[in-house]
Amino acid sequence: EAAASGRLHDFVLTVEAGPVGGVPASGLDFGCSRSPQSVIDQPSQFDFYDGGGLDIAILGAAEVGADGSVNVSVFGERVAGVGGFVNITHSAKRLVFCFPLRSGGLEVSRDESGGIVIEREGSFAKFVHQLPRERVCFDGPTAIKRGQDVLYVTERAVFRLTATGLELQELAPGIDVNKHVLSLMDFSPQISKAIRPMPAECFQ
């Protein structure tokens, strides 16, 4: 997306395997990058991460608890492991977790005015009341103590981590906050006194 919009010059992307700059590959090619500025060995890359070199990290999430903790390693009966997730989330100054509000068959479209339409709702909640301790790959309360800035971005709402849990701060156009967000979470987040619309460019 950044390459398509011509914004790659605004930041430098890295991959755990060692590429710095360029366009990271996805899918089965993950770990490679097209036209990187440099490629360093993986231990040196993790030294950079562990030393606080990342200004911001964009990651996914399988489940998020009411305290902002995140699971990325256990999906039902499947155990995927965490890879470099722990190193990155522990040391990056800002974190943005991007994932759908629900999973399992979710289908989303846009109407003519640019609003979000939920064609088919997901079967499984991603926002759960509390994660089992063995599934906590990122601990929300610890991140607050470290002073990290943490956002949780879904296709219909944006939340921020606070000292008292998640706070709903932005809403997508066409989304009803009660019907499409709050009623589909396993807990009740705090709600900002001034909920903002998500930026229009997110839906272009």
Side-chain angles (χ1 to χ4, degrees):
E1 190 68 31
S5 61
R7 298 189 60 191
L8 273 180
H9 64 278
D10 293 337
F11 43 81
V12 177
L13 300 174
T14 68
V15 180
E16 294 101 309
V20 177
V23 182
S26 60
L28 295 177
D29 293 324
F30 179 74
C32 303
S33 288
R34 178 167 54 86
S35 303
Q37 297 171 11
S38 65
V39 179
I40 62 178
D41 61 84
Q42 192 171 55
S44 296
Q45 188 78 294
F46 274 89
D47 285 343
F48 173 72
Y49 292 163
D50 293 339
L54 291 175
D55 294 312
I56 184 170
I58 317 295
L59 310 110
E63 294 176 307
V64 175
D67 65 354
S69 295
V70 176
N71 163 35
V72 295
S73 65
V74 181
F75 304 79
E77 298 298 318
R78 293 181 299 151
V79 179
V82 297
F85 180 89
V86 173
N87 303 71
I88 292 169
T89 57
H90 187 81
S91 58
K93 300 174 183 68
R94 297 185 64 197
L95 298 170
V96 181
F97 295 101
C98 300
F99 54 97
L101 190 93
R102 293 179 70 85
S103 62
L106 176 66
E107 295 181 7
V108 179
S109 65
R110 290 183 298 167
D111 59 25
E112 295 181 355
S113 65
I116 293 296
V117 178
I118 307 299
E119 301 285 357
R120 179 183 174 188
E121 193 54 82
S123 302
F124 306 106
K126 303 274 277 186
F127 287 95
V128 299
H129 181 67
Q130 185 176 12
L131 292 177
R133 198 64 200 167
E134 66 272 13
R135 294 191 182 188
V136 174
C137 307
F138 165 78
D139 186 66
T142 301
I144 288 293
K145 293 177 182 177
R146 284 197 295 264
Q148 289 174 291
D149 181 21
V150 187
L151 290 178
Y152 306 80
V153 179
T154 76
E155 78 288 350
R156 64 188 89 173
V158 177
F159 303 83
R160 183 179 296 278
L161 180 61
T162 73
T164 53
L166 297 190
E167 180 180 88
L168 174 61
Q169 294 196 335
E170 297 183 16
L171 203 62
I175 292 298
D176 180 278
V177 66
N178 290 308
K179 178 182 179 181
H180 297 131
V181 180
L182 300 180
S183 66
L184 301 173
M185 300 172 66
D186 287 356
F187 61 89
S188 297
Q190 302 171 68
I191 300 178
S192 171
K193 295 180 180 179
I195 296 180
R196 304 182 299 273
M198 293 174 69
E201 55 264 32
C202 294
F203 309 100
Q204 295 176 353

